Amino acid sequence: MSKRVVSPRTIELELATPGIDAQGHATRVPLTADRAPAEPGLDEEHMLVNIGPQHPATHGVLRLVVELDGETVVRCIPHLGYLHSGFEKLGEYRHYNQIIPLTDRTDYLSPMSNNIGFALAAEKLMGIQITPRCTVLRVIACEMSRIISHMVWLGTTSIDLGAFTPFLWAFQQREKIYDLQEMWTGARLTTSLTRVGGLLADIPDGFVEKLRDFTKTFPKTLAEIDRVLTRNAVWAGRTQGVGTLTADEATNYSLSGPMLRASGVAYDVRKDKPYLGYETYDFDVVVGEHGDVYDRYLVRLEECHQSNRILEQALDRLPDGPINVDDPRVILPSKTRAMTDMEAMIFHFKQVMEGVKAPVGEAYVGIENPKGELGNYLVSDGTAKPVRWRIRPPSFINLAALPKMAEGHLLSDLIAINASVDIVMGEVDR
Amino acid sequence: MIPGALREAVARDGEPIVYVARERLLETMKWLKETPGQDFDYLVDVTAVEFRDKERPLEVVYFLRSLERKADLRVKVELNPSEELAVDSVWGLWHGADWLEREVFDMFGITFRGHPDLRRILMWETYAEGYPLRKNFPLRGRFSRAEQVRQALNANPEAHYSMEELSIAEASDDLPDDMRERLKRGERGVIPEPPHE
C-alpha cells in the first residue's frame, strides 16, 4: 500500500518572531510569576467557564463547560444536542429514496458524499449493482466533497488561530466546487445527488471542462496555503505538541479519518475496504507521526492533493453509458414514458405510492468521508421503510476524544484542539 | 469457536454476525480483543435495533474491526423487552464506547452497567418524554409543542449544567443565592411531570 508520511519537525522559521524557541514552540510566560496573591486561597479554586453554544470558535452549536485551574483546562465537558433533529427516527417513517434529502443535512459541509454513503448502503441491502458511469461520477462527487470540507476546515481553523488570509483563499476554491455542484444538481448545499440505484441526473455540458480547470488551478492555492501556514512561526507554535494522541489512544477512542491517520495509523476505508472501485485509483494514504493539531493540518492539506489526483484520474476514465440501473422496480421511468406507456405508468405509481421494497436483512457500508468513516447501517423487515437507519457519525465519535485531548492544555489551546477535530454539528447531533 | 456465542449468521453485506449471551458479553469481547488471531482492536460503532414486530427482542449491535487483519465482525446481544434492558459496558476495553453507549442509553433506554458516566447525551438531562428511538415513542414526541415550550421557559439556569459541573462552581460559592438554595433542597432545575396519558 502506498503510504505517505507527512510530518516535518525541523521547521525553518521564515519569520524571526520573538517569543518562539528553537523548536518552534511559543515560549510561554508564566502569568502568575510576579503577581501578588490578590485573595488568599484563590490558588486552590477552580473556575467554571461556559463556552457556547453560540460561539464562533465552537464551530456550530457545541457547548463546552470547562473547569479551569488558572488558565489550564482541568476538565472539559461537552454538551451536545442543540441541533438534534432526530434524523434516524424520521428515517423509519420514510421510503429509502425519501431519506436521501435527510442525509444532505447531517454533514452539511460534504452533502454529496453523505448521499453516496446512504445510497451504497441501500444498494447493498437490495443487492443492486450500479453502472460504471455512475460509479465514476460518484467518485468524482466524493472527492469534490472532500476538497470543500477540508477547505472549510482549513479556513475556519486558520481564523480560530488568527490567520485570516488562508480563509479567503480556501473559501474561494470551495466556491468553485459549489458552482459545479449547482451546475450538476441545481443546489449548492442540499444536493440530494443520489437515488437508490443511480443518480439524480447526469453531469451537464461543460462540467468536465470546468472541473478539469479546477484540478489544474487548485494545487496552486494549496501551495500558497502551505507557504503561509506550514512554516509560519505562530501557526507552528500554536499547533505543534497540542492535543497529542498516540496511535494506540486514537485506535482505542475509535477515531477515524484524518484524526486517526495523523496519529500514525494508516487506515483509510478507501484502501482497506474499497468501495466504488477506489482500489483502481492511484493515490496515497496520508499519515502523520505525532498526532497533534499540526499533523492533522498536514494530513488534511496533503489529502487535498490526493483528492485532486483522484479527480484527474476519474475524469480521464469517465465512461459513457447510462447512470441508472436498468430496473424499473428501483428507478423511476422518465416523465414522458410514464405519461405514454401503460407499464411505465404502473411502475411509476407503485414506486411513488409504495416505495422500493428491500429484502429482510441488514447491511452496513462505511465510506471514507472527509471527517472520517461515515457508516450507514440499515435494517429492513421487508417493507419499503427501514426498521432502523443508523448513521455512524465520524465527527461525533472524533469529538468524544476532546476531553482527553484538552486535559492539561491552556484554554486557548482548547480552541485549537476543538478546531482540529473538524466537527460539524449537523452530524454530531443528527 | 468464539466463547459465549449462541449462534452465528451472515448479514446481507457479507459480514459475519455473532449472537452472544448477555451474561457473557464482556468475557467474549475481551477474548475478541485480546486473542491473537482475532485482534479486534477497533470498535467501529455501538447501536441498538428495535423491530416493528413486538415479539422480537431488542438487539444491541457492536461493530468490531481488526485494523491489522482488515476484518469486521458484528456482535449482537438480544434483550427481551419484558426484562430489564441492561448489558455490561465495554468502555473498559474501548474508550470509544463512552459516547456511543451514552447515545444508546439516551435513545433506547438501555443501561450499560459499569459505564463511568451514563447520562443522556443528545437530549437534555431532565428530558422526561422517554426514549425517542423506541417504537412506542410517537414521531412528534409525547408532549405537545406548547408543553415543551412551557417547560423550556420554566427551566432554572442550573438545569443546563450537570450535577458534577455544579459541584465545581459550588465550591467557589459563586452561584446566586436562590440557585444554591434550590440545589441544597435537592432540586435540579424543573423536573417536569409527564402529562396524564
Side-chain angles (χ1 to χ4, degrees):
Chain A
M1 182 172 81
S2 52
K3 175 171 140 181
R4 177 179 300 223
V5 180
V6 285
S7 188
R9 270 306 128 114
T10 44
I11 301 272
E12 296 160 25
L13 296 179
E14 290 190 336
L15 299 166
T17 313
I20 301 286
D21 64 16
Q23 281 79 41
H25 294 297
T27 49
R28 297 211 166 98
V29 185
L31 291 171
T32 50
D34 298 323
R35 182 175 60 85
E39 275 177 63
L42 201 64
D43 290 347
E44 296 91 62
E45 237 171 57
H46 285 185
M47 196 201 270
L48 193 71
V49 174
N50 178 76
I51 311 173
Q54 303 293 342
H55 190 286
T58 57
H59 295 239
V61 282
L62 171 66
R63 175 166 161 247
L64 300 171
V65 175
V66 188
E67 182 184 354
L68 288 178
D69 177 10
E71 220 181 321
T72 312
V73 177
V74 178
R75 207 159 23 148
C76 165
I77 306 168
H79 287 244
L80 318 174
Y82 290 89
L83 206 56
H84 179 60
S85 339
F87 287 141
E88 291 176 6
K89 180 84 176 171
L90 267 173
E92 295 170 10
Y93 294 78
R94 299 273 185 282
H95 294 159
Y96 287 91
N97 272 325
Q98 290 173 328
I99 294 174
I100 288 167
L102 298 177
T103 62
D104 290 335
R105 288 149 177 86
T106 55
D107 178 357
Y108 45 77
L109 296 178
S110 55
M112 281 183 160
S113 58
N114 298 333
N115 301 154
I116 291 164
F118 178 80
L120 287 175
E123 282 151 11
K124 192 151 250 180
L125 184 66
M126 299 176 189
I128 297 170
Q129 279 287 334
I130 55 171
T131 63
R133 183 172 174 85
C134 177
T135 313
V136 178
L137 285 177
R138 283 185 181 184
V139 169
I140 291 175
C142 276
E143 297 310 315
M144 277 166 45
S145 301
R146 195 176 321 279
I147 288 173
I148 48 175
S149 176
H150 283 354
M151 284 295 107
V152 172
W153 176 81
L154 230 150
T156 52
T157 305
S158 63
I159 281 203
D160 281 351
L161 299 184
F164 194 78
T165 316
F167 164 75
L168 297 174
W169 292 341
F171 271 58
Q172 210 169 20
Q173 295 306 312
R174 171 179 178 253
E175 199 56 35
K176 288 184 183 164
I177 296 265
Y178 266 180
D179 284 347
L180 287 164
Q181 290 192 350
E182 198 177 350
M183 263 176 98
W184 190 354
T185 66
R188 288 158 54 83
L189 198 141
T190 51
T191 52
S192 300
L193 172 73
T194 55
R195 295 291 179 267
V196 175
L199 295 173
L200 149 83
D202 206 338
I203 48 172
D205 292 341
F207 182 91
V208 172
E209 292 74 35
K210 225 176 150 190
L211 185 57
R212 223 181 259 286
D213 280 350
F214 174 81
T215 58
K216 286 192 187 112
T217 54
F218 182 52
K220 195 166 157 268
T221 307
L222 289 177
E224 283 172 339
I225 292 171
D226 179 67
R227 201 174 132 79
V228 292
L229 288 182
T230 308
R231 283 162 303 280
N232 181 311
V234 179
W235 181 262
R238 293 234 20 213
T239 55
Q240 288 194 350
V242 172
T244 312
L245 282 179
T246 63
D248 283 347
E249 283 167 345
T251 313
N252 198 247
Y253 273 90
S254 301
L255 301 191
S256 54
M259 289 281 289
L260 180 66
R261 289 192 287 274
S263 292
V265 183
Y267 191 86
D268 187 319
V269 187
R270 290 174 294 176
K271 285 276 186 202
D272 295 311
K273 228 171 167 18
Y275 53 96
L276 293 176
Y278 265 111
E279 67 276 19
T280 57
Y281 292 86
D282 178 26
F283 67 101
D284 301 336
V285 174
V286 190
V287 291
E289 275 177 334
H290 300 82
D292 56 5
V293 180
Y294 186 73
D295 273 16
R296 287 171 204 145
Y297 152 73
L298 288 177
V299 166
R300 291 200 175 98
L301 194 68
E302 182 57 34
E303 271 189 12
C304 287
H305 281 290
Q306 301 302 331
S307 287
N308 209 44
R309 275 176 71 189
I310 299 174
L311 277 179
E312 282 167 353
Q313 295 169 40
L315 285 175
D316 288 342
R317 68 164 73 163
L318 184 63
D320 288 330
I323 50 163
N324 291 332
V325 292
D326 185 22
D327 187 345
R329 285 169 306 150
V330 180
I331 295 294
L332 279 178
S334 71
K335 191 80 181 168
T336 333
R337 283 196 58 224
M339 302 300 264
T340 52
D341 181 359
M342 187 63 201
E343 203 172 308
M345 198 185 116
I346 292 170
F347 277 124
H348 188 284
F349 176 82
K350 278 183 86 78
Q351 253 194 70
V352 172
M353 300 309 287
E354 291 173 3
V356 188
K357 287 199 180 68
V360 182
E362 59 174 61
Y364 172 90
V365 174
I367 69 164
E368 186 70 31
N369 237 29
K371 291 170 180 66
E373 179 180 343
L374 170 83
N376 276 283
Y377 176 57
L378 287 167
V379 184
S380 164
D381 62 353
T383 57
K385 296 168 183 172
V387 172
R388 175 94 172 95
W389 167 42
R390 159 75 179 165
I391 312 164
R392 181 209 190 258
S395 49
F396 173 82
I397 297 170
N398 288 352
L399 184 66
L402 177 70
K404 158 93 180 150
M405 288 189 284
E407 232 170 69
H409 282 293
L410 295 183
L411 184 60
S412 56
D413 291 338
L414 173 65
I415 302 301
I417 296 167
N418 182 39
S420 77
V421 182
D422 192 11
I423 52 166
V424 49
M425 292 314 285
E427 182 182 79
V428 173
D429 292 343
R430 281 156 290 138
Chain B
M1 184 66 191
I2 297 168
L6 296 175
R7 62 181 196 277
E8 292 179 17
V10 177
R12 281 193 63 82
D13 53 11
E15 299 296 344
I17 306 174
V18 176
Y19 289 82
V20 173
R22 165 164 62 167
E23 297 74 31
R24 298 188 63 189
L25 173 73
L26 213 53
E27 176 199 338
T28 308
M29 289 301 211
K30 202 174 154 63
W31 186 84
L32 285 171
K33 189 186 176 203
E34 288 166 6
T35 308
Q38 299 290 334
D39 298 314
F40 287 100
D41 52 353
Y42 187 85
L43 179 72
V44 183
D45 201 358
V46 179
T47 190
V49 180
E50 186 181 9
F51 290 89
R52 296 199 179 102
D53 179 1
K54 288 193 177 63
E55 304 296 305
R56 275 188 80 165
L58 270 80
E59 288 176 353
V60 184
V61 192
Y62 298 84
F63 297 76
L64 304 185
R65 177 175 297 155
S66 165
L67 294 184
E68 193 65 39
R69 296 194 296 122
K70 306 194 195 316
D72 281 17
L73 180 69
R74 224 162 282 167
V75 178
K76 289 189 176 185
V77 179
E78 288 180 325
L79 298 177
N80 206 325
S82 58
E83 293 164 17
E84 187 204 7
L85 293 179
V87 284
D88 289 325
S89 168
V90 296
W91 178 84
L93 295 170
W94 299 279
H95 282 3
D98 184 351
W99 283 17
L100 293 170
E101 290 183 341
R102 272 178 72 184
E103 193 188 332
V104 174
F105 167 70
D106 188 3
M107 292 292 148
F108 288 88
I110 295 169
T111 314
F112 290 87
R113 286 183 293 239
H115 188 286
D117 182 27
L118 197 64
R119 288 182 289 126
R120 282 189 181 269
I121 185 162
L122 293 179
M123 311 311 280
W124 52 101
E125 269 183 75
T126 52
Y127 184 72
E129 294 184 50
Y131 302 105
L133 281 180
R134 295 295 298 272
K135 291 289 186 234
N136 59 13
F137 186 94
L139 183 59
R140 282 164 188 271
R142 287 226 165 82
F143 298 172
S144 66
R145 181 54 64 90
E147 173 63 16
Q148 288 169 349
V149 171
R150 192 189 66 76
Q151 289 186 4
L153 293 177
N154 287 344
N156 287 320
E158 65 267 26
H160 299 287
Y161 294 86
S162 70
M163 282 314 279
E164 197 187 352
E165 289 157 357
L166 288 166
S167 70
I168 304 167
E170 211 182 11
S172 61
D173 291 337
D174 279 344
L175 294 178
D177 285 341
D178 59 328
M179 205 188 276
R180 231 173 323 141
E181 278 300 303
R182 284 196 296 266
L183 285 170
K184 229 174 260 169
R185 285 202 304 272
E187 288 175 32
R188 208 182 153 292
V190 178
I191 310 247
E193 292 282 318
H196 24 268
E197 307 260 331

